[in-house]
Amino acid sequence: MFRMYRNRVKNGGKGGYFPVQRVIQVISALLVNGYLIGFRRGRIFTGGTKALCVPVLNCYSCPGALGACPIGALQTAVGGVRRHFPFYVLGLLMLFGVVLGRVVCGLLCPFGLVQDLLGKIPLPKLCVPKRIDRPARRIKYVVLLVLVVGLPALSAAGAPYFCKYLCPAGTLGGGVPLLLGDPMLRSLAGGLFRWKVLVLAVILVASVLIPRFFCRYLCPLGAFYSLFNRFAFFQMRLDESRCVGCGQCERACPMAVEVTKDINSPECIRCGRCQAVCPTGAVSCGLAGVPKSGPSGETEAK
């Protein structure tokens, strides 16, 4: 799957093929935000597909959004006046989790693409010590349980707390374009919008210095999909007989996964970079239970 990406890396990034990860990310962003005329008009798409949840974090209020964000839909279901158990949203999220795991984060999420592009800015990257990094990664589970589920379910108003106070994708894809296109909305913007812009700015700057900062520490959707990573149909594989212990895979991983120790860690977003840089082809990916095909076409043992 990531052969084109690997060829580019081996050529030092000069010439070769455009990374397949980036191609998939751009196509996914265009598919879920295909109502491009909405950006020009400053209007939200209201067609029938808005009742359908996309698998990624993508704001319902984004002018180009063709579907609903699953996190926003989850908050709407558990909160508000018409509270009900979110069978549809949870069922859909579980389906994506079982089939893909965090492939959604690595290849399909538009805000993941934004973070990857910011990570390309040639500034020194911060190495977060494990004693800080590991407990900090639990914050996204707290965000999921408290802001997405707990507070909307318990409060009388059922406000979408994550969307309202934290979500950077909503501010970047929805709030900013709508205010740029509507002078009346700009005049109404107050302290809450300034708070959201501040949160967005902090996350964007942090993403320049720490790869996939939002995915690592704050994203509730990534927290949900991580629960399925170890038994999702799509898996990463490490052939220990080929591994030479060079460590290139772990240095390339934007999520700082210990690839040689726990390749299907809940933190692995299946971006394919470990496979791309592996000099011996020890890292591969595919559906669980399906043997890997060797270079000559014969199947190899897992």
Side-chain angles (χ1 to χ4, degrees):
M1 181 177 179
F2 297 102
R3 188 173 299 171
M4 289 190 297
Y5 194 2
R6 186 187 302 124
N7 289 340
R8 180 176 172 85
V9 171
K10 286 187 175 181
N11 290 330
K14 301 177 181 178
Y17 296 93
F18 194 72
V20 66
Q21 180 203 13
R22 200 71 72 242
V23 172
I24 297 173
Q25 286 177 311
V26 171
I27 292 174
S28 175
L30 291 174
L31 285 176
V32 298
N33 295 292
Y35 188 64
L36 299 181
I37 196 172
F39 290 102
R40 183 171 65 84
R41 295 179 176 177
R43 297 178 183 175
I44 300 174
F45 176 74
T46 56
T49 58
K50 264 302 181 66
L52 303 175
C53 286
V54 296
V56 296
L57 196 68
N58 198 70
C59 187
Y60 183 96
S61 297
C62 174
L66 293 173
C69 175
I71 294 298
L74 187 58
Q75 292 172 100
T76 302
V78 299
V81 178
R82 300 176 60 185
R83 300 170 190 265
H84 61 276
F85 189 83
F87 289 104
Y88 163 66
V89 182
L90 279 180
L92 195 63
L93 287 176
M94 291 174 68
L95 174 63
F96 287 124
V98 168
V99 175
L100 298 175
R102 293 193 75 178
V103 169
V104 175
C105 307
L107 298 183
L108 303 181
C109 182
F111 198 71
L113 171 61
V114 171
Q115 292 175 87
D116 285 341
L117 294 177
L118 289 172
K120 292 290 185 181
I121 296 175
L123 289 175
K125 307 306 177 188
L126 297 179
C127 181
V128 184
K130 287 185 179 180
R131 67 179 184 277
I132 298 175
D133 178 69
R134 288 182 176 175
R137 290 181 189 248
R138 298 172 187 163
I139 296 174
K140 59 181 176 284
Y141 298 98
V142 176
V143 171
L144 175 62
L145 292 175
V146 176
L147 291 185
V148 177
V149 178
L151 289 179
L154 295 175
S155 67
Y161 287 88
F162 173 74
C163 298
K164 190 174 182 179
Y165 296 108
L166 184 59
C167 182
T171 308
L172 182 64
V176 172
L178 288 175
L179 262 68
L180 289 176
D182 192 332
M184 184 175 294
L185 284 178
R186 289 200 296 273
S187 66
L188 295 174
L192 179 58
F193 182 73
R194 288 191 288 272
W195 163 256
K196 289 292 296 292
V197 170
L198 175 62
V199 170
L200 173 63
V202 169
I203 290 175
L204 293 182
V205 171
S207 298
V208 175
L209 304 176
I210 302 173
R212 290 276 185 153
F213 172 84
F214 182 71
C215 298
R216 286 195 199 191
Y217 304 121
L218 296 173
C219 182
L221 192 57
F224 185 88
Y225 287 140
S226 72
L227 303 176
F228 300 87
N229 240 21
R230 295 195 188 280
F231 55 86
F233 290 164
F234 189 92
Q235 294 280 297
M236 300 301 296
R237 300 165 176 163
L238 176 67
D239 187 341
E240 295 182 359
S241 65
R242 290 186 179 182
C243 179
V244 293
C246 64
Q248 290 192 44
C249 55
E250 296 179 358
R251 288 192 292 273
C253 179
M255 296 293 286
V257 171
E258 295 179 311
V259 178
T260 56
K261 296 179 181 179
D262 190 9
I263 193 169
N264 284 302
S265 159
E267 299 298 324
C268 173
I269 58 173
R270 272 77 157 140
C271 63
R273 295 186 192 181
C274 55
Q275 181 180 352
V277 301
C278 182
T280 63
V283 180
S284 62
C285 62
L287 297 178
V290 178
K292 174 188 172 185
S293 296
S296 60
E298 70 276 7
T299 59
E300 300 175 351
K302 184 177 178 181

